[in-house]
Amino acid sequence: MGRQLVPRLVRAGHEVHGMSRSESKRELLRELGAVPVVADALDPDQVARAVATASPDVVVHQLTAIGPMDMRHFDRAFAGTNRLRTEGTDHLLSAARAVGVTRFVAQSFFAGYDRVGGTVKTEDDPFGTEPPAGMEQTVGAIRHVEDAVLAATWTEGLVLRYGGFYGPHTSLGPDGEQTEVVRRRRFPVVGDGGGVWSFVHIADAADATVAAVERGAPGVYNVVDDEPATVATWLPLLAQALGAPAPMRVPRLVGKLLAGETGAVMMTELRGASNAKARRELGWSPAHATWRDGFRELGAQVRVEGGAAA
């Protein structure tokens, strides 16, 4: 996200201070147009000093530490990110309050909607109250971000429930982990493939984030494209776009053995999200209106950069 977001904020006239725990990111942040700041987001004193030095009007919380995906052990794979979404959020909010930050924008994720009722959810629908087995800690951490930011009455708190990212430097990019799994036919359609996913191109997500920095009332916004779709719909078309074999189809029980209960639920029961509120109140519209166009673009990039699927 930072690679997309920082240049956009700079072009919009903002002075950006980019915080990373890694010294190696200094030069990249500087190249993107940000003032680099090295601090450990889990150290409250370092965060307090970093925020006090920058003295920002707005804080944009995009802290993650996502490693290789392991659907069978989802919470374990997201353990680092979960700490950033709990402890890290609290440290950022405390530091922001101390310097009088007027707006606080935070990252969330669409996949926490309760799996009841309609297949496409709005921001008013129940969220995060019944997470799948194995995903309790991750959904709990997302809820912590949302609850803490929205409860901060001393600032304007906005929460962005992003769709699944795809595009450059994401796991569903030209050289991404998910892309490779699909190309190697290791991402099957489980059961009826009835889980509904919402996607957003990383560039469109960054555009929405700039909009949230500059306007919009406090609250939650789904930042997704215009077409929520079932796994049974989007996965075969993604494979086709990548020049890969059609995905295998396996019964739900087999899918559960392969990817755990979390994976089976995401493939068969997930709910998608509507972007109507973000379009209306943030004045945002995705350039990639549907994943169909975006996946074709991704496929063209993969064929140029990586050749045919192995």
Side-chain angles (χ1 to χ4, degrees):
M1 172 62 79
R3 293 173 185 266
Q4 296 282 341
L5 180 57
V6 171
R8 283 169 166 78
L9 289 170
V10 172
R11 289 197 296 270
H14 300 285
E15 178 182 305
V16 180
H17 292 243
M19 191 178 85
S20 170
R21 65 179 176 178
S22 174
E23 284 283 350
S24 64
K25 295 288 181 64
R26 277 188 182 273
E27 188 56 36
L28 173 60
L29 286 165
R30 192 173 287 111
E31 290 174 359
L32 292 173
V35 177
V37 179
V38 176
D40 183 350
L42 298 176
D43 184 318
D45 294 332
Q46 290 187 33
V47 173
R49 284 194 295 271
V51 175
T53 299
S55 189
D57 298 311
V58 181
V59 168
V60 181
H61 175 8
Q62 297 281 349
L63 296 170
T64 58
I66 300 172
M69 183 57 64
D70 182 356
M71 297 297 290
R72 289 182 58 83
H73 304 96
F74 198 91
D75 279 339
R76 186 170 69 189
F78 275 80
T81 294
N82 292 342
R83 287 193 68 194
L84 292 171
R85 286 174 170 164
T86 52
E87 298 170 50
T89 297
D90 292 346
H91 299 335
L92 274 176
L93 283 167
S94 177
R97 185 171 192 175
V99 300
V101 164
T102 58
R103 177 163 284 226
F104 195 105
V105 180
Q107 175 187 133
S108 184
F109 187 49
F110 86 98
Y113 281 106
D114 289 0
R115 304 178 315 281
V116 294
T119 58
V120 179
K121 301 299 186 181
T122 73
E123 294 83 352
D124 294 327
D125 286 309
F127 184 91
T129 67
E130 297 181 359
M135 201 174 172
E136 296 95 341
Q137 295 172 25
T138 301
V139 173
I142 292 171
R143 281 290 305 270
H144 182 91
V145 173
E146 297 200 358
D147 293 346
V149 170
L150 297 177
T153 56
W154 47 268
T155 191
E156 296 179 336
L158 286 81
V159 171
L160 307 182
R161 288 179 183 160
Y162 296 118
F165 289 153
Y166 69 95
H169 304 290
T170 73
S171 64
L172 194 52
D175 57 354
E177 176 188 2
Q178 288 187 54
T179 303
E180 188 63 16
V181 170
V182 173
R183 293 179 73 218
R184 294 184 179 277
R185 212 186 183 208
R186 295 176 182 171
F187 194 147
V189 176
V190 174
D192 64 358
V196 177
W197 291 39
S198 283
F199 291 97
V200 65
H201 192 282
I202 190 68
D204 291 322
D207 286 337
T209 308
V210 174
V213 166
E214 298 179 338
R215 56 188 178 270
V220 177
Y221 296 86
N222 292 328
V223 176
V224 298
D225 72 15
D226 295 347
E227 188 182 358
T230 63
V231 176
T233 299
W234 66 257
L235 183 52
L237 291 177
L238 172 59
Q240 183 181 53
L242 296 174
M248 293 184 291
R249 290 179 174 265
V250 301
R252 192 183 193 282
L253 179 59
V254 174
K256 184 175 179 179
L257 292 173
L258 293 172
E261 178 64 17
T262 301
V265 165
M266 293 185 74
M267 296 291 282
T268 61
E269 300 179 22
L270 200 66
R271 265 43 176 184
S274 165
N275 66 14
K277 181 180 177 182
R279 279 180 165 276
R280 181 178 65 249
E281 299 188 22
L282 295 181
W284 166 80
S285 60
H288 299 79
T290 168
W291 50 269
R292 295 174 189 270
D293 297 333
F295 286 0
R296 282 193 288 268
E297 179 182 299
L298 172 62
Q301 294 169 344
V302 167
R303 286 192 292 275
V304 168
E305 298 179 20

